Amino acid sequence: MKKFHQYTMILLAGVLGACSSMSVNDPYEDSLPAGFNASVYVELHPQLRVAEIKDYVAYRNELVSDSLKKAGVDDATLSAFTANDETAFLANTAVAQGVYTVLAGHSAAEWEAYIAQKGSTEKEAKQAVAKVEKELKEFNFINVIEDLNAWSNVPKDQNAYSMQYTLYGKSHGWAYRYCSDSENITNLPVPEGDLDKGIPAAKNPTDFTPITYLVCYDKVAMINRVIQ
Amino acid sequence: MMFNKKISAFGLTSAILFSAATAFAAENQTEVVTQQKSLLEKLDSLNAAVLGLKINGTAKAGVLASFASSDQYTEDSPTQENQAFTDVNLRLTARPSSETMIDVQLRLHKDWQSAYDENNNPVIGHWFSYDGTILNKHVDFNLGYMRVGYTPLTINTPQTEILQEPEIFAEKRREALAQRNLDTTSRRLLHGLNVAYQSGSVGVVDNITAQLTGARLRNTAKKLDQVFFDFDFSDRYLLGARAGVEAYGAHLGLNYVNVFDRKQTRRSRDIADEDTIKYDKNMVFSADLSFDSKKVLPALPVTFGLNGEFAMSSWNVEREYKTKGKKRSYRVGQATAADGKQFAYVKSSLDSDPTVVIEDYMDMDGTSFYADLFAKGNISDVDFKVSAGYFQTDSNFWSELASSPVYQGRSTILNTGALYVDTSYADLVLGTFGASSLENLYFSVYNSTTLQATNLMTMGGSNALSNGVGESPYLFTRLDNNYKNGHFYRNGYTGNIAKRLELDPLMVLDPSVGLALPLGLATPDRKGINAKVDVNWADKVFFNARVNLVTQGSVPGLDDAGNVTTVENKFTEFAVGLGLDAGNLAQLDRKILVQGSLAKGKEDAYLKRETTRLVAGVTADVWGPISLLAGFQMYEKKFGDNGYGIVSETEEGYSTVLASVTKTTEMLIMGGVRVKLAPISYLTIQYGMLQNDLDFSVPVLGPAGLSLVGKNISINKNVILADVTVNF
């Protein structure tokens, strides 16, 4: 019995040792499918990058206003300064259009509609303009002369993309890579019912069925296909 | 309560103990310890038979009026300050058996001026200890407050030595020290546990000793307590051990001292972002060797011997502070894509993540040694002792418990309420360079005052009771009329121990301790020789001489081309003293002691300081119970070349010299009568004149540019003291 106890202790120590030696550089590595590449993933889902940029702009603008406050700028002066900066940003139509269509991913038609509605006194048109401008302001770096580099230089956090895939993208049937040429031919498209509707699950949790297969993106047909 | 009949006998012995302390202060410091000890042992045997509770002490009622005048005072400046008080020091000793003793000393102090404001006056207990000699007198122990001395390089207190210091001065100095629980011995005031073992004679070995000391120290070294209730939440500890063996007149000892900051208690509070905390650790290991020929050659009229010590120190400091680091963290966010579809994404953000960094800040090892040869003896009524030695201490050597003198000086003791005109620079010069050193050496003020917001401890601009929010509207009501008393000192001495990083650089400028060796023998970066002669011819003529030739390895200086470099600094110090007991010489039955001494010190680089101290005094039994005491002391300190610059440093690191002190001249004359009212009860009336002159120059911007303008602060203080002291 005493011997048995000794052996179990040794065994236990061995197990503990084995566990402790499993150093993991990326804790999400195991949950990612083989061949997952965060850069490709974000290319397929630019909205992740857009969200990242918006967060960064908000964070940086907060730093700017904090430092101005520390320098003794009062609240009224600060909000006037911010408003001025935003007006100047929106007035620069070329940049605003680039941001709206290229960065935020809206269509050229939507931009045209915005330009047409701008200056209108109709209630609905005013609301539509305000909505667009609100979105545009989210990209505005306060106290920076706008330069498209400012947005492309926002750091890309590949960990955040990978985590998003594990936490959300995978179960919502988001494609994680491009389909190969043969997959473009052989693989079935994702059934209509399995496509991500973009409705938060929390609103009606029972509606949501997680996708159990992996998905690739067919860039020729521009559809998602099931990976076998 | 049992009052013992032997009270008077004990009172006498305590009086002997007090006078012995000064008499021996001038002696070699290690010697003081042994002599004190033997005296204590005698006292022990005297008191051993006395069991039970005893109360003795001193009661003193007195006045001290100080009248100051200076052409730097404003017209409405107060010029007079009065102290009138009754001060009773009670010493309660309880002996449950002849082996052990509980010693509690209490102080009751009543300031007459505030006799009505302060209602009930609390008793301050300032000494608590349990001491004893147990196990057949093999083990001595102290628990609580204690005085412990090891060797000059391990645990030791550097003392001020003024040759032939007249009694009128010595007594004042002793009084100021006693208010801080200090004395004139080289032993250090500590609080903790001390155990010493003596084997007695074992075969050829005369004695084997072992000693262990543990004490808690104050963490922060401050020049002076700002207020009586001065506290700190962090701890600092001392662990000391030594062992020795004696045979054939030789003694070999090993000593170890470790002083360290306790990190755990400090860490019970968070560090503020801008704070940096330094944990200090200082270890000293030493071996001491001494030999006295008396044991092996008892027949010779002259004995000779040596004292030597070699010490190794290690000093390291850890620094702890917070970095304003950032940490990336992730959380889930929700967003809407351009096509209106909502999705969840992982939002990454940088959050501030202050981390505590612990780094090695200082690490120094050094060595120090000294070797003294001595000869002493008695040839036809002439007692003499001559010693000479060499010492050398690395600049990296550090022994904290041997390096903090009790004299710190530089405060203003009398007439602190005086107001100076703005153009006098008095706040700048007196506030940094300090006031008269003679005032600090010989005067002290002790008050008990009702506590209120203005004299409680404050932090920054706000009161401790309303920390962080400025003054609370309830501040005064909370403190009004609570009749709690605080005891406040104005005193130039302290028992605190300074860490090397906290050592007050200005303190070493006042050579009342020693120009060449401001921190005693353990002063870092010194080497040189010292010689001492003490002669006593049948208590009729006394002669002392001291010579120190010391070199400091590197101080900032200029080379021949005028570039800043490091140079050697050579100190030359000598002192001679002569005392004559005219009464004894003329074979009268009374003491008429006339004393005088001259001490000069000089350094040839750095600040090129030159000091001169001239001392003279008379202690004479005039008639019956009346004695006359008088003393004169002049002290001059010159700073060569550019003077000592009082520098202000800006946040950017630029320093500007605001004033530079070139010379100080101080004088103190005291005289008075002492009338013996009853055995060990005296009436004393004294007059003193204290003069302090400070010459300095300040840069003034005129039409011709910046020029140095000479300035002077001259303060005169006339002091009248009268008191009745009863020892019981």
Side-chain angles (χ1 to χ4, degrees):
Chain A
M1 195 62 201
K2 202 180 167 191
K3 264 244 147 75
F4 172 76
H5 183 68
Q6 264 180 5
Y7 285 140
T8 42
M9 289 313 284
I10 292 164
L11 194 68
L12 202 61
V15 169
L16 287 173
C19 286
S20 62
S21 69
M22 288 197 318
S23 68
V24 177
N25 291 331
D26 180 357
Y28 304 97
E29 203 167 30
D30 283 355
S31 13
L32 294 170
F36 180 89
N37 183 328
S39 315
V40 175
Y41 183 67
V42 76
E43 201 179 298
L44 288 167
H45 308 284
Q47 64 265 44
L48 293 177
R49 174 70 180 151
V50 170
E52 185 175 44
I53 289 170
K54 281 182 185 171
D55 285 343
Y56 186 85
V57 170
Y59 163 74
R60 195 223 155 248
N61 286 350
E62 205 179 302
L63 287 186
V64 171
S65 61
D66 279 355
S67 65
L68 287 172
K69 273 181 198 164
K70 265 190 195 160
V73 177
D74 62 69
D75 286 355
T77 317
L78 186 66
S79 56
F81 173 78
T82 314
N84 264 343
D85 195 279
E86 282 169 348
T87 314
F89 172 71
L90 293 174
N92 192 342
T93 333
V95 172
Q97 186 181 2
V99 169
Y100 193 65
T101 53
V102 181
L103 213 57
H106 291 279
S107 65
E110 277 174 292
W111 177 252
E112 293 301 326
Y114 161 70
I115 293 294
Q117 281 169 320
K118 212 174 165 184
S120 165
T121 49
E122 254 179 73
K123 196 186 169 194
E124 273 180 31
K126 271 167 107 176
Q127 275 174 351
V129 168
K131 189 174 170 250
V132 174
E133 289 186 345
K134 183 173 175 273
E135 194 182 345
L136 280 171
K137 280 180 199 166
E138 287 180 328
F139 291 93
N140 178 30
F141 283 110
I142 305 275
N143 205 17
V144 169
I145 304 295
E146 306 310 335
D147 172 13
L148 288 165
N149 280 335
W151 291 291
S152 52
N153 286 339
V154 170
K156 292 175 182 166
D157 190 331
Q158 310 234 344
N159 276 333
Y161 310 147
S162 315
M163 275 190 251
Q164 195 272 348
Y165 181 71
T166 358
L167 291 169
Y168 184 89
K170 195 173 169 186
S171 56
H172 283 76
W174 285 27
Y176 77 94
R177 62 170 169 83
Y178 292 103
C179 303
S180 64
D181 289 348
S182 58
E183 280 171 335
N184 282 348
I185 299 157
T186 55
N187 288 24
L188 290 173
V190 172
E192 180 64 32
D194 285 358
L195 289 176
D196 185 13
K197 306 282 188 309
I199 299 160
K203 285 198 175 155
N204 197 352
T206 49
D207 281 358
F208 179 70
T209 321
I211 308 299
T212 49
Y213 47 86
L214 297 173
V215 176
C216 67
Y217 181 69
D218 175 355
K219 61 184 166 193
V220 183
M222 297 202 284
I223 51 163
N224 286 340
R225 288 184 187 277
V226 177
I227 302 175
Q228 300 303 335
Chain B
M1 208 185 287
M2 190 196 103
F3 285 89
N4 205 284
K5 284 176 189 166
K6 288 206 177 178
I7 282 175
S8 60
F10 192 84
L12 185 68
T13 57
S14 60
I16 290 169
L17 186 59
F18 281 145
S19 57
T22 18
F24 295 138
E27 292 274 349
N28 181 304
Q29 285 169 325
T30 38
E31 204 64 15
V32 173
V33 182
T34 45
Q35 294 206 25
Q36 280 272 312
K37 221 176 135 212
S38 69
L39 196 70
L40 278 169
E41 274 162 10
K42 278 179 202 149
L43 288 175
D44 260 5
S45 58
L46 201 73
N47 292 309
V50 186
L51 300 184
L53 179 73
K54 280 185 299 183
I55 298 180
N56 46 332
T58 59
K60 184 175 182 174
V63 290
L64 188 162
S66 175
F67 307 88
S69 66
S70 166
D71 48 5
Q72 312 290 327
Y73 285 170
T74 59
E75 272 181 31
D76 55 350
S77 166
T79 53
Q80 188 183 348
E81 186 183 73
N82 295 322
Q83 309 289 336
F85 55 89
T86 308
D87 190 273
V88 179
N89 288 292
L90 290 178
R91 187 173 183 211
L92 308 170
T93 44
R95 278 187 175 275
S97 69
S98 63
E99 283 90 18
T100 65
M101 178 175 88
I102 294 148
D103 185 355
V104 176
Q105 294 175 37
L106 308 172
R107 181 176 290 148
L108 293 109
H109 186 96
K110 179 63 111 184
D111 283 309
W112 297 354
Q113 288 107 316
S114 56
Y116 289 105
D117 333 347
E118 62 183 21
N119 194 337
N120 46 0
N121 190 321
V123 177
I124 296 282
H126 63 97
W127 185 280
F128 300 84
S129 71
Y130 180 50
D131 312 288
T133 303
I134 51 169
L135 299 174
N136 210 7
K137 300 206 171 177
H138 282 306
V139 173
D140 291 324
F141 74 90
N142 312 88
L143 181 65
Y145 283 111
M146 59 197 183
R147 299 186 207 283
V148 179
Y150 278 14
T151 64
L153 296 178
T154 50
I155 304 180
N156 183 66
T157 304
Q159 287 283 0
T160 307
E161 188 188 58
I162 294 169
L163 293 180
Q164 297 297 333
E165 190 178 31
E167 195 178 327
I168 193 167
F169 291 151
E171 201 182 357
K172 288 249 146 325
R173 190 152 67 91
R174 210 160 54 232
E175 216 170 87
L177 280 162
Q179 284 185 355
R180 292 258 188 212
N181 269 342
L182 299 164
D183 65 6
T184 53
T185 67
S186 59
R187 290 178 298 160
R188 200 163 264 298
L189 173 69
L190 296 169
H191 187 266
L193 174 67
N194 179 45
V195 181
Y197 167 81
Q198 281 134 34
S199 72
S201 182
V202 184
V204 292
V205 174
D206 295 328
N207 198 5
I208 296 169
T209 57
Q211 188 171 1
L212 271 176
T213 310
R216 199 182 82 90
L217 308 172
R218 283 286 296 276
N219 178 281
T220 42
K222 290 184 183 173
K223 182 173 150 277
L224 294 170
D225 282 0
Q226 301 303 304
V227 291
F228 185 81
F229 295 101
D230 199 356
F231 51 86
D232 199 281
F233 54 84
S234 46
D235 283 350
R236 186 158 171 69
Y237 287 95
L238 154 75
L239 278 177
R242 66 167 169 172
V245 58
E246 281 160 36
Y248 303 111
H251 170 265
L252 176 68
L254 295 174
N255 312 281
Y256 170 78
V257 175
N258 185 359
V259 190
F260 56 95
D261 285 328
R262 191 172 167 226
K263 295 173 187 171
Q264 248 173 329
T265 43
R266 222 292 317 144
R267 285 181 181 142
S268 61
R269 280 198 188 183
D270 198 15
I271 315 182
D273 283 349
E274 62 283 352
D275 239 358
T276 172
I277 287 159
K278 293 177 182 125
Y279 298 106
D280 207 288
K281 185 173 166 64
N282 180 215
M283 268 195 293
V284 184
F285 181 75
S286 93
D288 67 302
L289 181 73
S290 62
F291 173 72
D292 192 320
S293 69
K294 191 158 192 147
K295 173 86 183 170
V296 279
L297 300 163
L300 283 182
V302 177
T303 63
F304 56 90
L306 66 88
N307 285 309
E309 187 177 0
F310 174 79
M312 293 181 287
S313 79
S314 117
W315 174 58
N316 61 60
V317 181
E318 254 176 44
R319 180 167 171 245
E320 205 167 290
Y321 61 98
K322 264 186 184 171
T323 53
K324 290 174 183 166
K326 297 266 182 197
K327 144 184 101 176
R328 184 161 293 277
S329 60
Y330 296 95
R331 74 204 102 188
V332 174
Q334 191 176 297
T336 312
D339 56 10
K341 284 184 181 172
Q342 289 183 315
F343 63 96
Y345 72 105
V346 174
K347 193 173 176 174
S348 79
S349 59
L350 279 176
D351 299 325
S352 76
D353 179 31
T355 44
V356 177
V357 178
I358 302 171
E359 65 179 23
D360 283 340
Y361 185 71
M362 284 276 170
D363 202 345
M364 281 189 188
D365 296 338
T367 58
S368 171
F369 74 90
Y370 65 85
D372 280 329
L373 289 171
F374 67 85
K376 61 183 176 183
N378 185 316
I379 299 169
S380 55
D381 270 1
V382 177
D383 260 325
F384 67 92
K385 182 171 177 185
V386 184
S387 70
Y390 177 80
F391 57 90
Q392 186 170 342
T393 308
D394 280 2
S395 58
N396 282 349
F397 181 81
W398 182 245
S399 175
E400 189 178 307
L401 284 171
S403 302
S404 292
V406 287
Y407 174 81
Q408 300 276 300
R410 287 175 49 226
S411 15
T412 302
I413 310 285
L414 302 170
N415 300 90
T416 42
L419 302 167
Y420 296 86
V421 289
D422 289 343
T423 51
S424 71
Y425 290 85
D427 288 336
L428 173 73
V429 177
L430 295 177
T432 51
F433 184 81
S436 162
S437 74
L438 294 178
E439 189 175 325
N440 275 278
L441 271 171
Y442 298 119
F443 291 92
S444 58
V445 171
Y446 184 91
N447 286 134
S448 79
T449 307
T450 312
L451 285 179
Q452 15 120 338
T454 48
N455 54 26
L456 270 177
M457 195 164 177
T458 56
M459 289 166 75
S462 65
N463 194 285
L465 293 178
S466 51
N467 183 20
V469 289
E471 296 227 321
S472 149
Y474 306 111
L475 184 70
F476 293 98
T477 47
R478 271 198 302 215
L479 282 166
D480 196 30
N481 284 339
N482 62 0
Y483 295 118
K484 286 205 170 96
N485 271 24
H487 287 211
F488 293 80
Y489 302 94
R490 270 183 255 151
N491 194 311
Y493 298 93
T494 175
N496 288 346
I497 293 155
K499 296 180 188 179
R500 190 168 186 171
L501 290 173
E502 289 171 341
L503 199 68
D504 186 349
L506 278 159
M507 188 267 294
V508 300
L509 283 176
D510 181 354
S512 291
V513 178
L515 181 69
L517 298 169
L519 309 178
L521 260 185
T523 309
D525 196 16
R526 295 287 195 278
K527 64 182 177 191
I529 51 170
N530 56 5
K532 289 179 182 182
V533 179
D534 294 293
V535 182
N536 174 357
W537 173 45
D539 287 342
K540 290 171 185 162
V541 180
F542 309 89
F543 172 78
N544 323 79
R546 303 280 182 270
V547 177
N548 285 335
L549 299 171
V550 184
T551 305
Q552 183 178 8
S554 69
V555 291
L558 301 174
D559 64 10
D560 295 338
N563 301 316
V564 177
T565 177
T566 53
V567 294
E568 269 196 352
N569 190 12
K570 286 196 172 67
F571 296 92
T572 318
E573 280 184 312
F574 78 85
V576 284
L578 186 67
L580 295 170
D581 190 340
N584 206 344
L585 274 173
Q587 294 184 331
L588 301 170
D589 59 345
R590 63 191 68 174
K591 182 165 94 170
I592 304 171
L593 182 63
V594 184
Q595 293 166 291
S597 74
L598 171 71
K600 273 176 112 44
K602 198 181 151 194
E603 66 179 350
D604 75 343
Y606 188 44
L607 296 168
K608 299 197 173 156
R609 286 168 291 174
E610 268 182 56
T611 61
T612 312
R613 189 190 296 276
L614 197 62
V615 184
V618 180
T619 310
D621 297 334
V622 182
W623 168 81
I626 301 173
S627 336
L628 184 78
L629 285 85
F632 164 84
Q633 193 167 151
M634 210 201 76
Y635 175 54
E636 190 189 74
K637 184 164 49 178
K638 274 194 266 188
F639 292 85
D641 297 349
N642 304 316
Y644 172 75
I646 297 167
V647 176
S648 136
E649 225 164 82
T650 62
E651 274 181 43
E652 291 80 32
Y654 297 110
S655 51
T656 333
V657 177
L658 302 174
S660 65
V661 181
T662 48
K663 189 180 161 189
T664 69
T665 317
E666 298 174 25
M667 194 172 71
L668 173 62
I669 299 172
M670 285 197 85
V673 287
R674 186 169 67 191
V675 183
K676 191 173 177 181
L677 301 173
I680 52 171
S681 301
Y682 301 98
L683 165 72
T684 310
I685 300 167
Q686 287 173 348
Y687 164 78
M689 194 192 69
L690 191 63
Q691 200 176 329
N692 184 22
D693 280 285
L694 272 159
D695 292 332
F696 60 98
S697 55
V698 289
V700 172
L701 195 64
L706 209 60
S707 60
L708 287 174
V709 175
K711 290 260 177 189
N712 176 271
I713 293 176
S714 175
I715 305 162
N716 260 304
K717 288 173 187 173
N718 289 285
V719 189
I720 294 169
L721 299 108
D723 60 67
V724 175
T725 307
V726 178
N727 296 286
F728 53 89

